[in-house]
Amino acid sequence: MSRAVLSVLVTALEMGHSVFMSSVSAPRTARERVRAQLTGEILAVARRHVAESGAVNLSVRAVARDLGMVSSALYRYFASRDDLLTALIVDAYGAVADVGEAADRSCKRTDLLGRWLAVCKAVRTWALANPHEYALIYGTPVPGYVAPETTIEPVVRFSAVLLGILVDARADGRLAESALPVSRGVVRSIRPLRAQAPSDLPDAAVVNGVIGWTHLFGAISSELFGHRHNVVDNHEVFFDCEMRRIAALILR
């Protein structure tokens, strides 16, 4: 996680996520509405292509052909294949943030375990319903593609949900006390995160938060990509068990 990501993450938390809230804008012109509609259609076709052929084979020309457009016309909306891929990635990260935030809001603020479980289950449900979009952001990277800074905001939005649970646990005196000490070497290994995380979060809580985040997406990926085939029969039950055990590492 880069320093830029962490800086935005902490800012979002301190401002109550207001940095990401959309303000009421003036009515769009007819041209803007048409552009927005066509952009949505381009992205829908591009998602289908990614599902059918994989992100590495995404082609602006092929997308334009399916839309009955010449590729030069589509380039007015997305200047390159990477720009189109970035838009899909931003949408996918945004969808994860949306379901995470909605799940968090559905729980009482004091129900820390309920919030954690609701967020985890919501992300898993979205991933199972949108496996190709999940793979686009948490699967194998596209060779040669470098994500621009425009992908930072939606990534940070979801991270802020999990960090918010940690911060509230700290305020309520409900952070778990890890049985294992956090060595200086471990603290140094997360120096960028430690420098940007709220100062009143103990080192162990920051470390445990990273472990929880990693385990959440690792568990979903293991299920979605078939790594637990012939290992787990009831994925939903096992996932709930996993997330409760991880919660015990973070909360009390």
Side-chain angles (χ1 to χ4, degrees):
M1 192 178 290
S2 71
R3 186 173 296 275
V5 170
L6 295 169
S7 179
V8 176
L9 174 56
V10 175
T11 299
L13 187 66
E14 291 175 345
M15 297 178 65
H17 301 182
S18 63
V19 69
F20 300 122
M21 299 301 289
S22 299
S23 59
V24 177
S25 58
R28 293 186 295 180
T29 65
R31 176 176 293 183
E32 289 171 336
R33 291 196 298 271
V34 170
R35 183 177 181 85
Q37 179 179 344
L38 185 52
T39 298
E41 293 175 4
I42 293 170
L43 292 175
V45 172
R47 287 190 195 94
R48 177 167 57 80
H49 279 230
V50 168
E52 294 173 352
S53 305
V56 68
N57 295 313
L58 181 63
S59 164
V60 172
R61 289 182 180 274
V63 172
R65 183 173 60 248
D66 278 9
L67 286 165
M69 300 171 60
V70 295
S71 55
S72 59
L74 194 148
Y75 280 121
R76 298 193 193 107
Y77 293 82
F78 298 98
S80 67
R81 189 288 305 260
D82 282 4
D83 282 349
L84 180 55
L85 192 57
T86 294
L88 294 176
I89 289 171
V90 167
D91 278 0
Y93 276 128
V96 171
D98 287 343
V99 298
E101 289 171 348
D104 189 43
R105 287 195 303 268
S106 71
C107 301
K108 293 182 179 179
R109 307 315 296 164
T110 55
D111 184 8
L112 299 174
L113 174 60
R115 288 167 62 187
W116 163 256
L117 293 176
V119 170
C120 293
K121 291 175 182 178
V123 175
R124 174 180 177 269
T125 298
W126 178 87
L128 294 178
N130 302 276
H132 300 291
E133 292 179 66
Y134 179 88
L136 185 62
I137 54 178
Y138 293 112
T140 303
V142 177
Y145 173 79
V146 179
E149 289 192 3
T150 53
T151 60
I152 291 177
E153 178 180 323
V155 173
V156 168
R157 280 179 54 209
F158 180 75
S159 299
V161 173
L162 300 185
L163 183 57
I165 295 174
L166 285 177
V167 170
D168 289 347
R170 170 63 174 173
D172 291 347
R174 294 174 58 190
L175 283 176
E177 296 180 4
S178 176
L180 296 175
V182 178
S183 69
R184 293 181 180 179
V186 172
V187 175
R188 285 196 297 269
S189 74
I190 60 165
R191 185 177 299 164
L193 178 59
R194 175 67 276 182
Q196 296 294 333
S199 59
D200 62 344
L201 274 180
D203 293 333
V206 177
V207 170
N208 291 346
V210 174
I211 292 173
W213 180 92
T214 302
H215 199 92
L216 165 61
F217 288 103
I220 293 172
S221 296
S222 293
E223 176 184 353
L224 197 61
F225 301 145
H227 299 303
R228 289 176 171 176
H229 182 63
N230 289 332
V231 175
V232 176
D233 284 334
N234 191 322
H235 293 285
E236 184 173 0
V237 170
F238 191 78
F239 181 80
D240 181 74
C241 174
E242 283 183 289
M243 294 305 107
R244 288 180 181 273
R245 285 175 176 264
I246 290 298
L249 178 69
I250 302 171
L251 309 169
R252 64 179 173 88

